[in-house]
Structures are given as structure tokens and as C-alpha cells.
Amino acid sequence: MKSSELIKKVKLPFGFEAAKEKFENLVKQSKGWSFPVPMWDFNKSIISSGFELKNIKNMVIYFLCNASYASQIVNAQDEMSSLLPCTYVIFETDNNETFLSAISIGLLAEFFPDPVKKIIQEVSDIEDLITEEMLSVK
């Protein structure tokens, strides 16, 4: 899925728990991709700190990494490590709609010279496939 916006947000055709399960399975099945740190239950953290998120019932944040791509990016331009890992958010609104959101790294790639630009575009293509798979009901 290509986007001209810096932040991608897509409505998912199933509920929050099913979205989490599907996303985790998709990443685990994707060659070289992993979760380098545990999922962050953002909504729970906010509530336990005495705050609230308006119109948000549930929100979790996932951090994804592909060590091959990450090492290529850092080896090409070490300060690019500030963009790692890739971040995805799954959230459910108060009216029971579930969304997947992430930075459009394909758009972000345009700001960098090769070889970083080329590597980020490859990652973007893979992430687009994951997003498209998240939109399928199967």
C-alpha cells in the first residue's frame, strides 16, 4: 500500500485481539523479521500513569527489525540508527474500530541519498506487503 502521507493509518476488517494475533504471526512468518523488544501496551502505560487517551479503548505498539536491513542502513550512515526499529501501532477506538498505523518509510526514504534510500525503499515494499496482508480477512 503506497501512501502520500507521512503516517499510514488503515482500518482493519476485524477486532483488536485478532489484529494483534494476525500481525504477530505475519511478522514471525516473514523471513528475517522479528520483534527485538516486547510489545508495549501503550494504553495500559498511560492509564497506570494517571492519564487517559480520548476515544482509545486499546493501543499497543510493536517494534520490528530485520537485522540484515538494519545493519546495511547503519553501515551506510550510522546516524540512521535513530530510525530503528520500525514502529507499528494497533489500536481500537471507543466505537470498536481497529486500525493499524505506521510511519510511511517509503516516503521518508525520499529524504536520503543512496544507498540508504534504496535500502529503505526495499523495506518499505516488504512493509507494504505486511499491511496489505493485514487488510485481508483470510
Side-chain angles (χ1 to χ4, degrees):
M1 165 180 294
K2 298 294 178 192
S3 174
S4 61
E5 296 180 14
L6 185 56
I7 305 293
K8 296 186 291 188
K9 176 183 168 186
V10 295
K11 184 177 177 184
L12 300 175
F14 34 80
F16 181 74
E17 291 300 324
K20 286 176 24 183
E21 182 178 343
K22 184 170 187 170
F23 187 75
E24 290 170 12
N25 287 334
L26 278 171
V27 172
K28 289 175 186 173
Q29 294 168 7
S30 298
K31 184 179 178 187
W33 290 90
S34 65
F35 299 109
V37 294
M39 174 198 71
W40 179 19
D41 189 331
F42 187 74
N43 196 47
K44 185 177 180 179
S45 294
I46 293 297
I47 290 170
S48 69
S49 296
F51 300 96
E52 67 179 67
L53 300 173
K54 296 189 187 298
N55 193 37
I56 300 292
K57 186 187 297 187
N58 290 298
M59 180 179 280
V60 293
I61 300 175
Y62 290 95
F63 304 98
L64 278 66
C65 184
N66 180 301
S68 174
Y69 288 120
S71 64
Q72 290 175 59
I73 289 171
V74 172
N75 287 335
Q77 201 171 339
D78 57 6
E79 66 271 19
M80 294 297 296
S81 59
S82 62
L83 295 176
L84 304 174
C86 297
T87 304
Y88 273 83
V89 179
I90 296 175
F91 65 96
E92 177 182 28
T93 62
D94 285 341
N95 60 350
N96 299 317
E97 294 179 315
T98 302
F99 295 88
L100 176 70
S101 181
I103 291 174
S104 177
I105 64 168
L107 182 61
L108 195 60
E110 299 303 317
F111 293 99
F112 300 102
D114 282 331
V116 171
K117 179 178 183 175
K118 184 176 185 268
I119 297 164
I120 292 175
Q121 287 171 332
E122 288 179 33
V123 171
S124 177
D125 290 344
I126 294 166
E127 289 189 337
D128 286 346
L129 292 174
I130 291 172
T131 301
E132 288 172 21
E133 189 65 31
M134 285 296 293
L135 290 170
S136 72
V137 184
K138 60 177 178 168

